Amino acid sequence: MDLREVGYDGRNWINLAQDRDRRRAYFSKVSTVPRWYTTFVIKPQKEVNGRQVGWPGKGSPLPINLLGKFAFKKPRTAPQSAVKEIIGLPIDSPDSMLYSSRKVRGLGIMKASWEAFLQHINVCNLLDSIDDPLLATTRNFAQEIRASIQHLGFPSEEQPNVRNIQKKLRNQQFEEWKKLNHRGKGVSHFSEWSKSNYWISTKKGLSTSQWTNAIKMNCNVIAKSGKFDVYEEVHCISSTGSTKRADIIAIDNSQKIGFIIDPTIRFEGAEFQPQEVDLEKKRHYEPCFPYLEEKYRIPVCRWEVIGLLFGNTGIFSDYSGSPVIAQ
């Protein structure tokens, strides 16, 4: 068959070949779009209850006005609870710690309400870079990028660099973590030397339990024991300026009473050894009462030191008269 008979000359074939190359470039780039994202797109028409409406399918990104319906505007507690359960953290651990960067001792996990709009910006940037007039007439990618940036809480003039936007979002979570009254104490120091925080990612030199306990110490997670709030390995400063570390601090907030409990294991000796150990611990920790008063808002006169003696053969002195030991 002579191709000239169907009206195709050399120029037509050149144009057709160029159009084919553009289409190939388009589909090769579209194939790099995340698979989960391409499922949330709109096919032109589908009949529902007698009406022609848009319908999810493959081919182009989801319009920004529908994206918010699929994304979590207010993240549910189930993902956070599951992460805390897997790691072994208490349920009241701060969520902002989960989303903060690992460089500041956060866990740096994905947040769904961010990721939906971040991926939308990525896809729109990719499709906008394709020199295709059909795409330019069907979608306003620049407007959708600005709308996604605004959904993330930034001005529309923000540069659509997903990596930088994600970094700013994690910094916002770190700032929220620092503002917490109890679980944010000391957190501001984590950003001073990021190299000391690598263990949060690598767990180098730590067992799983040690790594979990270190995370608990980062956010000052409280262990509940009856009516007492219990803190372990608490740093204290005495009135003479020396630093000490209390093994256990138990606080009854309802009655504003605090206890410093220091268990000690020794060889059994004299008959009055338990009383001697108790007096020794009182002399050791009582100079720390002014510091603890300022830290926990409990008056100096409402603090008590209890020195517990455990014999090397397992003998435990009788402290049944103390309510905190009974708890």
Side-chain angles (χ1 to χ4, degrees):
M1 177 180 179
D2 191 346
L3 294 177
R4 286 172 294 184
E5 294 180 5
V6 295
Y8 270 74
D9 58 13
R11 173 51 56 184
N12 293 124
W13 284 108
I14 292 174
N15 293 337
L16 186 63
Q18 290 176 346
D19 183 68
R20 178 202 61 191
D21 293 339
R22 284 198 299 270
R23 297 298 173 184
R24 283 181 177 176
Y26 166 73
F27 285 111
S28 65
K29 287 195 174 184
V30 169
S31 64
T32 64
V33 174
R35 183 171 297 178
W36 70 267
Y37 186 85
T38 57
T39 60
F40 294 108
V41 296
I42 296 297
K43 287 183 177 179
Q45 297 292 327
K46 186 177 180 70
E47 185 172 341
V48 178
N49 295 331
R51 297 175 56 192
Q52 297 292 327
V53 297
W55 198 256
K58 289 189 177 181
S60 61
L62 186 69
I64 191 64
N65 62 331
L66 295 179
L67 181 61
K69 297 181 180 180
F70 290 98
F72 294 116
K73 292 184 178 179
K74 292 185 178 179
R76 302 172 185 175
T77 59
Q80 294 93 325
S81 301
V83 171
K84 294 173 186 177
E85 183 70 22
I86 292 170
I87 298 175
L89 298 176
I91 195 64
D92 58 346
S93 301
D95 292 340
S96 51
M97 180 268 297
L98 301 179
Y99 303 121
S100 298
S101 171
R102 294 187 181 96
K103 292 183 178 180
V104 291
R105 299 195 189 182
L107 295 182
I109 68 173
M110 184 196 77
K111 191 171 184 179
S113 60
W114 298 348
E115 201 64 25
F117 293 105
L118 291 174
Q119 291 297 333
H120 191 80
I121 295 172
N122 261 335
V123 173
C124 287
N125 280 330
L126 179 64
L127 296 179
D128 194 33
S129 66
I130 300 174
D131 185 17
D132 189 290
L134 178 60
L135 287 175
T137 56
T138 56
R139 301 290 289 274
N140 189 337
F141 294 115
Q143 181 179 354
E144 293 190 25
I145 290 173
R146 289 194 298 269
S148 295
I149 292 175
Q150 289 178 335
H151 272 90
L152 293 171
F154 296 101
S156 58
E157 297 79 14
E158 182 78 21
Q159 291 296 321
N161 186 308
V162 171
R163 195 176 293 274
N164 290 339
I165 292 175
Q166 189 178 55
K167 184 178 180 180
K168 291 181 180 180
L169 290 169
R170 295 202 182 281
N171 287 339
Q172 288 178 356
Q173 291 295 309
F174 181 62
E175 293 298 324
E176 291 183 13
W177 186 14
K178 290 196 298 185
K179 293 177 183 178
L180 298 177
N181 291 332
H182 175 66
R183 289 163 179 75
K185 288 184 178 179
V187 171
S188 58
H189 300 294
F190 296 163
S191 60
E192 294 178 359
W193 184 247
S194 59
K195 290 185 178 180
S196 64
N197 303 328
Y198 285 160
W199 61 267
I200 200 79
S201 301
T202 63
K203 295 175 60 177
K204 187 175 181 180
L206 299 174
S207 65
T208 301
S209 61
Q210 289 172 335
W211 182 73
T212 302
N213 289 332
I215 295 176
K216 291 180 181 179
M217 292 177 65
N218 283 344
C219 49
N220 299 317
V221 175
I222 301 174
K224 292 284 185 178
S225 178
K227 64 178 182 178
F228 292 96
D229 294 340
V230 182
Y231 306 83
E232 298 179 359
E233 298 292 333
V234 179
H235 175 265
C236 308
I237 301 177
S238 70
S239 55
T240 60
S242 61
T243 59
K244 305 180 186 298
R245 187 175 294 275
D247 288 347
I248 302 171
I249 287 183
I251 295 177
D252 184 352
N253 285 310
S254 61
Q255 299 186 21
K256 292 296 180 182
I257 302 175
F259 297 90
I260 299 177
I261 305 170
D262 192 341
T264 304
I265 300 176
R266 294 184 181 176
F267 289 101
E268 290 88 343
E271 179 181 356
F272 299 102
Q273 189 177 14
Q275 290 79 3
E276 293 174 358
V277 170
D278 188 46
L279 291 174
E280 176 188 333
K281 299 301 180 182
K282 282 179 167 57
R283 288 193 297 266
H284 184 74
Y285 288 111
E286 282 178 353
C288 300
F289 285 176
Y291 174 83
L292 295 173
E293 176 187 17
E294 182 180 357
K295 185 173 183 178
Y296 295 108
R297 301 293 188 268
I298 295 179
V300 171
C301 60
R302 303 287 287 176
W303 283 93
E304 180 183 350
V305 178
I306 301 175
L308 296 179
L309 174 64
F310 293 86
N312 66 316
T313 59
I315 296 175
F316 174 55
S317 302
D318 184 13
Y319 291 94
S320 57
S322 174
V324 66
I325 302 299
Q327 283 281 343

